[in-house]
Amino acid sequence: MNETMRKLSPALCLLPLVLSACTSSRLDFTSTGSMGNMGISPEEAYRQGKLKNTPYSIDGKVYMPLDYEEAIAYEETGIASWYGQETLDQHHGQLTAYGEVFDPSMPSAAHKYLPLPSLVKVTNLDTNASIVVRVNDRGPFIGDRVLDLSAEAAKRLGFYEKGTAKVKLEVLSQ
């Protein structure tokens, strides 16, 4: 090893860590990805006719989810919360509205109007922390909240202890 390589070697070892700190969290949500069997991608769900965007009713109110094409450029700002302790206790391992197993230790989200599944980038506007999550459930149905996140997603965004945060969500290219 020449002298230049010996000097660069420690810096090159740290490069992946430095670069990962500069990017938002991005997970592989494909069925063969590193996260295990998280279901099919939004694109594949659309191609296979498995996208869930039919109207539904909660407490007498009818919700009309967006069409696939409408959701592609969707952005929203508002208050996000995370699935509470009762959800962790009662719903761990139960199915989401899209039919996937809810796991609070995996980043996921619930939204009233986005087609299921969707991938969204969520940014905590107080800290600028961001993460990409799979929307596979319906909700939140409390007040003016725009997104309900799994406990893991709330931790990564830095508002787990606080309970809510002002966020911006952006649907990623389907």
Side-chain angles (χ1 to χ4, degrees):
M1 183 184 291
N2 68 31
E3 186 63 27
T4 304
M5 285 303 291
R6 205 177 339 225
K7 288 179 181 175
L8 285 177
S9 194
L12 291 175
C13 290
L14 293 175
L15 187 60
L17 293 173
V18 171
L19 290 176
S20 68
C22 297
T23 61
S24 64
S25 298
R26 175 82 193 216
L27 300 171
D28 182 357
F29 292 102
T30 61
S31 59
T32 58
S34 62
M35 300 308 295
N37 189 0
M38 290 288 293
I40 60 177
S41 71
E43 300 90 349
E44 191 60 26
Y46 179 71
R47 273 193 290 280
Q48 293 182 17
K50 294 181 179 180
L51 196 73
K52 189 172 184 178
N53 65 342
T54 55
Y56 64 99
S57 177
I58 300 289
D59 293 330
K61 182 175 180 181
V62 176
Y63 295 87
M64 302 290 292
L66 299 171
D67 289 331
Y68 181 80
E69 293 80 13
E70 292 175 300
I72 291 172
Y74 187 81
E75 291 184 5
E76 186 175 17
T77 300
I79 301 299
S81 53
W82 64 273
Y83 289 71
Q85 187 62 45
E86 68 284 351
T87 304
L88 294 175
D89 294 340
Q90 298 171 9
H91 298 291
H92 181 73
Q94 290 189 4
L95 299 181
T96 65
Y98 190 64
E100 297 172 341
V101 174
F102 173 70
D103 182 349
S105 68
M106 299 295 294
S108 63
H111 193 273
K112 294 176 200 158
Y113 304 109
L114 290 176
L116 304 178
S118 292
L119 294 180
V120 298
K121 176 182 175 186
V122 182
T123 304
N124 180 335
L125 296 177
D126 292 331
T127 64
N128 286 326
S130 65
I131 186 173
V132 174
V133 298
R134 181 176 174 89
V135 177
N136 62 2
D137 211 354
R138 293 291 179 215
F141 302 107
I142 297 172
D144 60 353
R145 295 182 190 170
V146 299
L147 195 65
D148 234 351
L149 294 159
S150 65
E152 179 62 23
K155 288 175 185 175
R156 292 189 191 185
L157 287 169
F159 73 90
Y160 179 81
E161 295 296 325
K162 185 178 171 190
T164 61
K166 187 169 184 181
V167 299
K168 178 179 181 180
L169 65 99
E170 305 164 83
V171 173
L172 299 179
S173 170
Q174 304 284 332

